Amino acid sequence: MAPKKLSTKRSRKDATGEGSSATSDFDSHRFRSVEHQQRFKAIKGWSFHRERCVQLREDECPDFQGEIACRHWARLVTPMAKFDPEMVIEFYANAWPTREGVRDMRSWVRGHWIPFDADAISQFLGDPLILEEDQQCQFSQRRSQADDFDEEAIAQLLCIPGQDFARTAAGRQVRIMRTNMTTLTQIWMILLLSNALPSDHNSDLPLPKCQLVYAILIRMSVHVAQVIADAIYLFAGMAPTRHALDPEKSNRALGFLALITGLC
């Protein structure tokens, strides 16, 4: 099913949210509202999670390369080399959700609407997985089931022999440490924590992300565009926090720099 295309045009009323008169310093070309302009100032000092370009020899990690080819994820592993930091911050500022209960998967950059829903991101990635309307991928279907994933099966596949999840005092599985992972699991972790679920914390993999790697390794269909769209939405709504050692800085970081630059 072809992704739906959204209009990039808007009315002035849509830009300001209510159509009311803007404050004297409000830049209506760059921002959806005064609140979004203030959000831009609030996140301007945030750092970035940079995507990684995966470059391997033809005979290196054949299982990984074969899975990338089978899933048509070439664009996921070869992001653009450059990004526009000002554009990325402007995108996230205008994607900030200001109305509770309203999931608006659009931003506003340089005079145009920029959709970042699963359809838009799938189109940017070359439509790696085609789904019918309202159809879920196998990974999403499994996560929505009551029995979910089998943690024992996950540990057997992702860990080196004799290793397991790190557990809480109550015995609940919470994460797999990097030192306990197979080489293939580590490769997938690096890719996903750079290009699909950005994070600087790469010494271990929490249970939900272990489920994603497991789904990939057992060849479940994964709608990676939906995974990315959900992650962008979470980034857009993050609350500012200050660095413990330097209150003038934030310890927050924004992801999908090359992807967002490409969307814009």
Side-chain angles (χ1 to χ4, degrees):
M1 181 177 180
K4 299 176 182 177
K5 295 185 178 180
L6 300 180
S7 172
T8 59
K9 297 181 179 180
R10 67 170 184 173
S11 66
R12 179 54 58 92
K13 181 176 180 179
D14 195 15
T16 60
E18 297 296 334
S20 59
S21 59
T23 57
S24 58
D25 61 345
F26 171 51
D27 187 344
S28 62
H29 179 71
R30 294 185 64 193
F31 302 105
R32 299 172 67 171
S33 69
V34 174
E35 290 78 13
H36 289 98
Q37 182 167 313
Q38 293 170 343
R39 175 69 171 176
F40 178 85
K41 295 177 182 178
I43 68 175
K44 194 170 177 60
W46 290 16
S47 57
F48 296 119
H49 297 296
R50 294 177 179 269
E51 290 121 315
R52 293 193 182 197
C53 183
V54 179
Q55 295 179 322
L56 299 171
R57 299 188 306 272
E58 287 188 9
D59 60 344
E60 191 175 8
C61 303
D63 290 342
F64 174 79
Q65 296 199 66
E67 196 63 32
I68 291 295
C70 181
R71 292 180 181 276
H72 308 289
W73 284 1
R75 293 189 184 180
L76 180 67
V77 300
T78 54
M80 298 189 309
K82 297 181 179 180
F83 69 94
D84 186 328
E86 191 80 2
M87 185 177 290
V88 170
I89 297 171
E90 195 171 311
F91 171 93
Y92 274 115
N94 283 313
W96 186 47
T98 57
R99 291 183 291 172
E100 188 174 352
V102 177
R103 187 178 170 90
D104 186 1
M105 304 297 285
R106 301 176 303 166
S107 186
W108 175 256
V109 179
R110 312 293 164 87
H112 297 279
W113 285 115
I114 307 297
F116 61 93
D117 59 354
D119 284 345
I121 292 173
S122 178
Q123 187 177 49
F124 181 79
L125 295 177
D127 291 321
L129 179 66
I130 304 299
L131 297 172
E132 298 297 329
E133 189 172 357
D134 298 325
Q135 181 186 3
Q136 290 185 311
C137 66
Q138 293 171 336
F139 172 64
S140 295
Q141 290 175 0
R142 176 67 71 85
R143 293 194 72 177
S144 64
Q145 295 174 358
D147 55 356
D148 203 37
F149 285 87
D150 182 347
E151 282 81 8
E152 183 177 344
I154 292 175
Q156 289 178 352
L157 187 59
L158 270 59
C159 296
I160 57 178
Q163 299 302 322
D164 197 354
F165 279 92
R167 299 172 182 263
T168 65
R172 183 171 61 88
Q173 298 101 324
V174 288
R175 65 189 75 252
I176 294 178
M177 305 306 297
R178 181 170 183 165
T179 52
N180 294 339
M181 296 176 187
T182 66
T183 299
L184 184 58
T185 301
Q186 291 184 39
I187 293 172
W188 279 110
M189 180 185 75
I190 292 170
L191 171 64
L192 295 175
L193 295 186
S194 300
N195 298 6
L197 293 166
S199 173
D200 285 335
H201 185 73
N202 58 11
S203 61
D204 60 67
L205 205 58
L207 177 57
K209 295 176 181 178
C210 289
Q211 293 172 345
L212 176 56
V213 175
Y214 176 77
I216 292 170
L217 293 180
I218 65 171
R219 298 190 172 177
M220 283 186 177
S221 61
V222 175
H223 193 11
V224 71
Q226 186 66 65
V227 173
I228 292 172
D230 291 341
I232 291 176
Y233 187 78
L234 290 177
F235 273 119
M238 285 194 305
T241 60
R242 293 300 169 190
H243 196 282
L245 300 179
D246 188 350
E248 296 300 317
K249 296 182 178 179
S250 173
N251 59 4
R252 294 295 197 187
L254 300 169
F256 303 108
L257 317 178
L259 184 146
I260 287 171
T261 300
L263 287 176
C264 295

